[in-house]
Amino acid sequence: MPHFSLSRGRQIALLAVATAFLNFPGMTLAAPQEAVDNTASTDEPAAIPAADDAEDSRGLVQRFNDALEPVNEWFGNMNGHIASVIFFPVPVGPAKVVAEAPAPVDDPVATDTPDDEAEAAPEKQPSWLQKLNRSIESQYRTMPLAVIILLVGATFFTIRMGFINIRGFVHAIKVTAGKYDDPEDEGEVTHFQALTAALSATVGLGNIAGVAIAICLGGPGATLWMVLAGFIGMTSKFVECTLGQLYREERPDGRIMGGAMFYLSRGLPEVGLGPLGKVLGVMFAVLCVGGSFAGGNSFQVNMSLGAVGEVWPFLAPPQNPGDADYRWVYGLGMSVVTGMVIIGGIRRIASAAEKIVPAMCGIYVAAAIVILIKNFDSLPAAVSLIFSDAFSGKAVAGGMVGVLVVGFQRAAFSNEAGVGSAAIAHAAAKTDHPVREGVVAMLGPFIDTVIICTMTALVIVVTGAWNPETSLEFKQQIEGGNGAALTSVAMDSEISGFKYVLGVAVILFAFSTMISWSYYGERCWAYLFGDGTSMLYRSIFLVFTFLGSILSSTNVLEFGDLMIFGMAIPNIIGVVLLSGKVRKHLDEYWVKVKSGEFDREVETRAAAETPSDS
């Protein structure tokens, strides 16, 4: 096992924190001082105090972000290199039709630039791989490599498991409802709690903002392909979460350790790939920890704050220098509430998730249904448009292939099927049958993508919000790329005042995602550094929660998002190699399902409990 000793883990963590801290003071002091000196060299002496006042008026938050700018630029560089690999554009369609062939923007010889810009240009030159990416994207309709890996994997699993996403659907509902629950089974949470904990990590801003933008880019037809991708993604969740149960460990204190890092490091040696399994396990854990700090935490706070600021302007960024900045209040509040939940571990996280997720999903879906009922006359035409557009597509989307790409991408980014994160939550479920938890996990992509994303899509299509010609307000949000605001405006146009309800929903969506990702990251952190360092991880996590409200370094936040999608690479490799073992367990389990053995066990257990209740 790749566990370090407790003291060693703390040394590594503290060294990383200390290194980062020691590098910041220089940047913090240097940036403001240069601004003052430059002003002083050109202005009259009497203007120097005014320059100081202007510097002070920028506020602590702005100065903090100025200090981070070099770091942000470095991460932007890194993001470009990493994204060029993870999201390598694989040609999937015919060449695009280009009216004119402009001079390449990355060729310094092609354009006339001032001498100072020409000298700086070589520092910003893209790598050969980035140039290759741009060349391919300029000529063909493409799909990111990570999305193809997830979709090909999902298709393979669906066929390999005999379409368990169809034949096991009813059984999954029965298990989730608690029909087969046995209090004596090993684990920390119920099937329902495990499902809601995993759902809370995926049901979020992507369901509100991402879907709206996907339809604006790809047209209404993207909805059909999004649903199809969610449908086959159900089997990916089944396989990875079954493996999470098969290779989980129970600690002496009763806590469960499971997830992709365990079935990679413990499962692959069983097929003669021990060294590969250990490498992939550590790789997954490192990516998950990084993703939990940024993509599953700071990024959620940052994005939700942007949407909430549209509803409650006092939480929006200040418009003028010297204006009060209250974004930190949002960050502080989220840090406190999140800390109250995550300190209690998976039991408290699951307890919160089982209340929040059904409530926010119920309110959101109910509002969507009300809107669809109000526009019932337009509903048949909207559904017809979705199907017809799926096989023709908007011209700007690149026809059918373009619509398919947009729909599949949105589903992959929304439900995280194949990423391996959900296996960490489902590993903690109480059950003696790993396959049973796998069928429960299938419901995640169904609820996330097939139901909630579809509801958002139907609202966007029925109200005409996807079409910029419908209204000026819709056009402004589309051009600004603000999917959350577009959905909010669309729903508020049908249900007066609903933007405030949606504002609260956005906060809950972000909060629920954060508490689940804190558990994912903490389990991977413990896998790397030992169980005794969990509290250190949670403390760092809460610091990143607060930073998400004041950080304008988007490259830093996007780096964490890239790490989440990077998790799919080691996970899919391992799950494909171990899929034969899952199929064997599935066949054995399904024989018992069809024979009624599990139903008889329930009846026997109920009969045994009856005398004690009388």
Side-chain angles (χ1 to χ4, degrees):
M1 294 299 298
H3 286 175
F4 300 104
S5 64
L6 176 61
S7 59
R8 180 62 174 163
R10 283 179 175 169
Q11 288 174 10
I12 294 173
L14 291 174
L15 179 61
V17 174
T19 302
F21 177 78
L22 290 174
N23 277 285
F24 277 95
M27 287 187 282
T28 304
L29 295 175
Q33 186 61 46
E34 289 178 8
V36 174
D37 290 345
N38 291 340
T39 304
S41 65
T42 57
D43 294 342
E44 295 295 327
I48 294 177
D52 290 337
D53 292 342
E55 183 66 38
D56 292 338
S57 71
R58 287 162 56 250
L60 182 61
V61 172
Q62 184 58 48
R63 279 179 283 174
F64 174 78
N65 280 298
D66 287 347
L68 279 181
E69 190 55 36
V71 179
N72 188 49
E73 290 182 5
W74 184 85
F75 272 103
N77 231 358
M78 287 294 296
N79 290 353
H81 295 301
I82 295 173
S84 65
V85 176
I86 296 177
F87 297 130
F88 183 84
V90 179
V92 294
K96 297 179 180 178
V97 178
V98 182
E100 297 181 3
V105 295
D106 59 344
D107 186 356
V109 180
T111 55
D112 294 327
T113 56
D115 292 339
D116 56 341
E117 292 183 12
E119 293 177 2
E123 298 180 4
K124 299 180 180 180
Q125 285 299 298
S127 66
W128 67 269
L129 187 56
Q130 290 172 310
K131 289 182 179 179
L132 176 61
N133 285 9
R134 294 177 185 178
S135 176
I136 295 174
E137 289 174 336
S138 67
Q139 301 177 61
Y140 301 97
R141 174 61 54 186
T142 64
M143 182 179 289
L145 177 62
V147 176
I148 289 181
I149 290 175
L150 292 172
L151 291 174
V152 171
T155 303
F156 169 77
F157 297 139
T158 299
I159 297 172
R160 185 78 174 85
M161 301 301 149
F163 292 89
I164 187 62
N165 51 343
I166 297 176
R167 59 193 178 102
F169 188 78
V170 174
H171 181 67
I173 295 175
K174 291 179 180 179
V175 175
T176 306
K179 179 177 180 179
Y180 303 102
D181 283 359
D182 185 350
E184 301 302 319
D185 287 343
E186 293 182 356
E188 295 188 74
V189 296
T190 65
H191 294 294
F192 180 72
Q193 288 178 324
L195 176 62
T196 53
L199 266 176
S200 68
T202 58
V203 177
L205 297 176
N207 302 83
I208 298 175
V211 173
I213 293 300
I215 293 175
C216 292
L217 292 175
T223 305
L224 180 63
W225 301 114
M226 178 180 65
V227 170
L228 178 60
F231 176 72
I232 61 176
M234 292 169 65
T235 318
S236 295
K237 279 286 177 78
F238 164 78
V239 178
E240 62 189 13
C241 292
T242 297
L243 288 171
Q245 279 278 333
L246 278 170
Y247 292 99
R248 70 180 182 176
E249 291 182 355
E250 183 174 4
R251 295 291 194 252
D253 61 359
R255 298 182 67 194
I256 298 296
M257 283 283 286
M261 59 283 193
F262 281 90
Y263 58 70
L264 291 172
S265 62
R266 297 179 61 195
L268 291 183
E270 296 179 3
V271 295
L273 297 171
L276 176 64
K278 292 185 183 299
V279 171
L280 293 180
V282 172
M283 179 180 174
F284 177 88
V286 171
L287 290 170
C288 185
V289 170
S292 71
F293 285 146
N297 184 13
S298 294
F299 192 78
Q300 298 296 320
V301 175
N302 192 276
M303 294 299 290
S304 63
L305 181 56
V308 170
E310 295 280 341
V311 180
W312 293 289
F314 77 95
L315 289 174
Q319 298 298 313
N320 304 302
D323 288 353
D325 189 345
Y326 294 110
R327 289 176 295 171
W328 65 270
V329 176
Y330 182 81
L332 181 62
M334 289 292 271
S335 299
V336 172
V337 177
T338 302
M340 293 170 61
V341 175
I342 69 173
I343 297 300
I346 185 60
R347 288 186 174 90
R348 193 175 296 176
I349 291 171
S351 178
E354 72 173 341
K355 299 177 180 66
I356 295 174
V357 173
M360 67 183 185
C361 290
I363 293 173
Y364 187 76
V365 171
I369 291 175
V370 169
I371 293 173
L372 296 179
I373 292 175
K374 288 182 64 178
N375 294 272
F376 186 76
D377 293 342
S378 304
L379 190 57
V383 174
S384 176
L385 178 61
I386 288 173
F387 277 88
S388 62
D389 192 67
F391 297 98
S392 59
K394 293 167 57 180
V396 295
M400 174 183 168
V401 175
V403 177
L404 183 147
V405 168
V406 173
F408 276 3
Q409 284 184 187
R410 182 62 261 152
F413 294 165
S414 177
N415 59 49
E416 296 175 11
V419 171
S421 53
I424 301 174
H426 284 282
K430 295 179 180 179
T431 184
D432 286 337
H433 302 283
V435 172
R436 181 172 291 172
E437 189 57 31
V439 296
V440 171
M442 291 193 315
L443 297 178
F446 181 80
I447 296 171
D448 176 278
T449 306
V450 179
I451 294 181
I452 299 179
C453 287
T454 301
M455 284 295 176
T456 301
L458 286 173
V459 168
I460 296 297
V461 175
V462 166
T463 58
W466 68 279
N467 188 346
E469 297 179 1
T470 302
S471 75
L472 178 60
E473 195 169 15
F474 289 156
K475 181 179 180 180
Q476 291 173 340
Q477 301 302 338
I478 292 171
E479 291 177 349
N482 195 336
L486 178 62
T487 304
S488 177
V489 170
M491 300 187 84
D492 195 65
S493 67
E494 298 292 328
I495 305 176
S496 181
F498 189 76
K499 64 179 181 180
Y500 298 106
V501 178
L502 192 60
V504 174
V506 164
I507 296 174
L508 291 177
F509 277 133
F511 172 70
S512 65
T513 298
M514 290 157 55
I515 61 175
S516 286
W517 268 99
S518 73
Y519 179 68
Y520 296 164
E522 183 266 329
R523 290 292 80 191
C524 287
W525 178 282
Y527 173 82
L528 294 170
F529 305 117
D531 289 327
T533 61
S534 291
M535 194 58 69
L536 174 61
Y537 167 84
R538 292 168 185 161
S539 300
I540 297 174
F541 185 89
L542 293 176
V543 170
F544 273 87
T545 301
F546 178 76
L547 290 178
S549 66
I550 62 175
L551 202 62
S552 63
S553 305
T554 54
N555 290 330
V556 179
L557 301 176
E558 289 171 1
F559 179 76
D561 227 22
L562 285 174
M563 297 188 83
I564 292 177
F565 293 111
M567 292 161 58
I569 297 175
N571 183 62
I572 289 292
I573 292 173
V575 174
V576 168
L577 293 171
L578 295 170
S579 60
K581 185 165 188 175
V582 176
R583 181 57 197 254
K584 178 183 176 182
H585 281 268
L586 171 59
D587 290 342
E588 294 173 354
Y589 180 85
W590 207 247
V591 168
K592 296 179 180 180
V593 172
K594 301 303 289 185
S595 67
E597 181 177 332
F598 294 136
D599 291 327
R600 289 192 294 272
E601 288 179 0
V602 172
E603 293 172 0
T604 301
R605 192 160 53 244
E609 294 173 354
T610 301
S612 62
D613 295 337
S614 58

